[in-house]
């Protein structure tokens, strides 16, 4: 559980007081900190705080837990603003304000570093299957079950929701797989951050290559707050912001000697958000900077080229997280098959990587060519004035929810997975038909699903094995209701 302590703060160091400053304060007078708001935030940092007090004159340093406050701005003699740095340990940390006259105010334990809270994710779409949990926490899956990815103890497909075996209650869901279906899998996080997976061989995180049609615990005893999956890989963030991944090394993106159990990404970066594509991964570090790793043959790492320091089985790659080349700050990130997208604090969407089907949403193909495919090796703005609340990447397409709950998709539409009543690809966002208001959207291989604000689930696109959950195997270019939901 996250730590929740609000601490009343009074810290001061007495010193000689002299008059003479126009504002009535003196550079040599004692500094006093009276409050810090908010008084708690995640250990990965990035929390905007306001420090109030007395005699903030000639301030030369403000630290939290011994590390300098980012973006420090002295608003006057009574207020300082900034962004918390990453913490080194959970719990209470001192805030120390220092002036050039060597006056120091130490506020003992006035800020609390908390673990990352579990980020809810009620809906997940894999290659040819979908999973969601009901309001009571029970998880159901539907679609192809050949690899056991439905979690009901069988390898039978179902065009209607079937309950995942066991009594586990999940608050986060993720699903992946390749078009061959042998790697199809599903995963979930319980309220205490324990991860469980079921389905295809090598993707369950238990250190083996044995498939399972019921949930099995991910090895290592790690507690996660975020869980994402795509293709043959699953990744999670611990409460301290450390990234771990597991899965079959089919495409070399794991760069791990033991990829079937969780392995930590290289470097000392701490992430606040995570995304994984078919052969690359990305994370948001403290302060909103984006880093990516894995394959880069379509420019999906966002480094300004489609090359890499390494050559992997299918092209250029990077085993280490590399910074996305941009001056933008991100609040969320998502990855599709060979492209990546992010949202800025203002709700603007930018994408980079493959644009073969228009999945970058920039209105045209290009602007570059990576190999034989249209691409952009740097983030480019999605061609719309819409402001987004969330965004999700799929195979050759992207979908997003506006801040008003409207769903839009763009890119590949061969099976109606854009949900606009057609099968024509789109280089710009198009509205999903039906006028539904959504709170979550998940993009699979050739189908898409959304959870409405009323708790109903709708799906659209390919339905060859029942992944739309409407009791049929008939594909649909517009949203159809999942049977028996909610």
């Amino acid at each position: 559980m996250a730590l929740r302590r609000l601490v009343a703060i009074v810290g001061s160091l007495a010193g000689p007081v002299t008059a003479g400053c126009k504002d009535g304060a003196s550079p040599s007078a004692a500094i006093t900190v009276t409050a810090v708001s908010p008084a708690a935030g995640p250990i990965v940092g990035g929390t905007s705080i306001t420090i109030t007090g007395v005699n903030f004159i000639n301030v030369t340093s403000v630290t939290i837990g011994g590390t300098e406050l980012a973006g420090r701005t002295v608003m006057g003699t009574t207020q300082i603003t900034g962004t918390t740095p990453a913490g080194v340990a959970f719990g209470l940390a001192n805030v120390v304000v220092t002036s050039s006259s060597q006056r120091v105010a130490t506020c003992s334990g006035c800020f609390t570093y908390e673990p990352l809270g579990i980020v809810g994710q009620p809906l997940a779409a894999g290659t040819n299957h979908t999973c969601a949990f009901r309001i009571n926490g029970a998880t159901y899956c539907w679609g192809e079950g050949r690899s056991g990815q439905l979690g009901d103890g069988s390898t039978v497909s179902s065009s209607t929701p079937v309950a995942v075996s066991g009594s586990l209650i999940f608050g986060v869901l993720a699903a992946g797989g390749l078009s061959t279906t042998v790697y199809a899998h599903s995963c979930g996080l319980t309220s205490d951050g324990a991860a469980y997976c079921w389905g295809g061989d090598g993707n369950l995180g238990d250190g083996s290559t044995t498939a399972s049609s019921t949930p099995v615990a991910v090895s290592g005893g790690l507690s996660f707050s975020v869980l994402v999956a795509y293709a043959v890989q699953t990744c999670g963030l611990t409460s301290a912001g450390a990234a771990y991944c597991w899965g079959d090394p089919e495409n070399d993106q794991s760069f791990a000697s033991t990829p079937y159990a969780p392995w930590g990404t290289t470097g000392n970066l701490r992430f606040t958000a995570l995304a994984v594509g078919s052969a690359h991964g990305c994370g948001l570090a403290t302060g909103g900077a984006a880093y990516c790793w894995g394959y880069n043959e379509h420019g999906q790492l966002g480094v300004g080229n489609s090359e890499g320091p390494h050559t992997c089985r299918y092209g250029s790659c990077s085993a280490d997280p590399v910074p996305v080349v941009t001056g933008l700050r991100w609040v969320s990130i998502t990855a599709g098959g060979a492209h990546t997208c992010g949202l800025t604090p203002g709700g603007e969407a930018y994408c980079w990587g493959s644009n073969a089907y228009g999945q970058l949403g920039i209105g045209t193909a290009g602007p570059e060519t990576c190999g034989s495919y249209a691409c952009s090796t740097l983030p480019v703005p999605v061609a719309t004035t819409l402001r987004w609340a969330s965004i999700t990447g799929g195979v050759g397409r992207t979908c997003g929810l506006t801040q008003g709950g409207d769903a839009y998709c763009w890119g590949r539409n061969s099976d109606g997975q854009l949900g606009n009543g057609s099968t024509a690809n789109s280089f710009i966002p198009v509205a999903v038909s039906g006028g539904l208001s959504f709170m979550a959207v998940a993009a699979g291989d050739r189908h898409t699903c959304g959870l409405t604000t009323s708790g109903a689930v709708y799906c659209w696109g390919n339905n060859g094995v029942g992944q739309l959950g409407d009791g049929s195997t008939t594909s649909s270019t517009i949203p159809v209701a999942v049977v028996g939901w909610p």
Side-chain angles (χ1 to χ4, degrees):
M1 294 178 62
L3 300 175
R4 292 288 179 190
R5 298 189 61 183
L6 297 178
V7 182
I9 308 156
V10 177
S12 63
L13 183 62
V17 179
T18 59
C21 290
K22 290 186 292 184
D23 59 5
S26 168
S28 61
I31 298 176
T32 301
V33 173
T34 57
V36 175
S37 180
I43 194 170
V44 292
T47 302
S48 296
I49 65 170
T50 299
I51 302 169
T52 42
V54 177
N55 207 27
F56 293 156
I57 297 175
N58 299 329
V59 173
T60 58
S61 175
V62 178
T63 61
I64 299 183
T67 305
E68 193 68 28
L69 184 72
R72 183 185 77 225
T73 302
V74 180
M75 307 298 293
T77 61
T78 61
Q79 189 175 91
I80 299 171
T81 62
T83 303
T84 60
V88 296
F90 299 132
L92 301 179
N94 295 344
V95 171
V96 179
V97 179
T98 304
S99 74
S100 59
S101 59
Q102 303 305 309
R103 297 305 185 202
V104 179
T106 300
C107 300
S108 300
C110 65
F111 189 82
T112 299
Y113 275 116
E114 302 175 322
L116 285 172
I118 291 178
V119 179
Q121 189 171 300
L123 187 68
T127 304
N128 293 314
H129 76 288
T130 312
C131 294
F133 58 75
R134 297 185 186 275
I135 194 169
N136 64 359
T139 300
Y140 289 76
C141 298
W142 56 93
E144 185 161 34
R146 189 189 312 182
S147 297
Q149 63 264 49
L150 302 189
D152 64 340
S154 79
T155 54
V156 177
S157 300
S158 177
S159 62
T160 59
V162 294
V164 173
S165 297
S167 57
L168 294 167
I169 302 298
F170 298 113
V172 176
L173 294 174
L178 292 175
S179 57
T180 58
T181 73
V182 294
Y183 299 107
H185 65 288
S186 311
C187 297
L189 287 185
T190 61
S191 60
D192 61 356
Y196 292 79
C197 295
W198 54 96
D201 49 340
N203 293 284
L204 307 188
D206 62 346
S208 78
T209 57
T210 303
S212 176
S213 60
T214 59
V216 297
V218 172
S219 62
L222 295 164
S223 178
F224 296 102
S225 60
V226 173
L227 196 66
V228 292
Y230 199 105
V232 297
Q233 187 153 257
T234 305
C235 296
L237 285 182
T238 68
S239 59
Y244 288 81
C245 297
W246 59 91
D248 192 282
E250 167 73 14
N251 292 326
D252 291 333
Q253 71 266 40
S254 65
F255 302 102
S257 58
T258 55
Y260 303 112
W263 58 275
T265 59
T266 55
N268 296 316
L269 293 168
R270 293 184 179 187
F271 296 112
T272 60
L274 201 62
V276 61
S278 63
H280 76 291
C282 296
L284 297 186
T286 301
Y291 289 78
C292 295
W293 59 92
Y295 274 94
N296 193 38
E297 73 277 23
H298 298 290
Q300 58 263 56
L301 301 191
V303 295
N305 59 58
S306 57
E307 303 170 359
H310 306 289
T311 300
C312 298
R313 187 181 307 178
Y314 301 115
S316 61
C317 65
S318 176
D320 301 316
V322 290
V324 174
V325 180
T326 176
L328 296 168
R329 176 174 173 260
W330 309 101
V331 294
S332 69
I333 195 165
T334 187
H339 74 290
T340 313
C341 296
L343 291 184
T344 68
E348 299 167 311
Y350 286 75
C351 297
W352 58 96
S354 175
N355 197 31
Y357 303 100
Q359 58 264 50
L360 301 190
I362 59 177
T364 63
E368 306 167 56
T369 300
C370 299
S372 58
Y373 295 96
C375 72
S376 177
T377 59
L378 290 172
V380 286
V382 174
T384 181
T385 58
L386 295 168
R387 291 295 179 263
W388 307 98
S390 64
I391 194 169
T392 183
V395 176
R397 76 187 185 288
T398 311
C399 293
L401 291 182
T402 68
Q403 294 176 354
D406 299 320
Y408 286 76
C409 295
W410 56 96
R412 188 176 184 180
N413 197 28
S414 56
D415 296 86
Q417 55 265 53
L418 300 190
N420 67 331
S422 80
T423 55
N425 297 343
S426 179
F427 285 85
I428 60 172
V430 292
V432 173
S433 298
L436 297 165
S437 180
F438 293 96
M439 58 186 297
V441 170
D445 188 349
R446 294 183 295 162
H447 78 291
T448 311
C449 294
L451 174 66
T452 69
T453 52
S454 64
V457 176
Y458 286 78
C459 297
W460 53 96
N462 186 277
N463 195 30
V465 286
Q467 58 264 51
L468 300 191
D470 67 340
S472 78
T473 54
T474 302
S475 299
S476 178
T477 61
I478 61 174
V480 294
V482 172
V483 172
W485 211 276

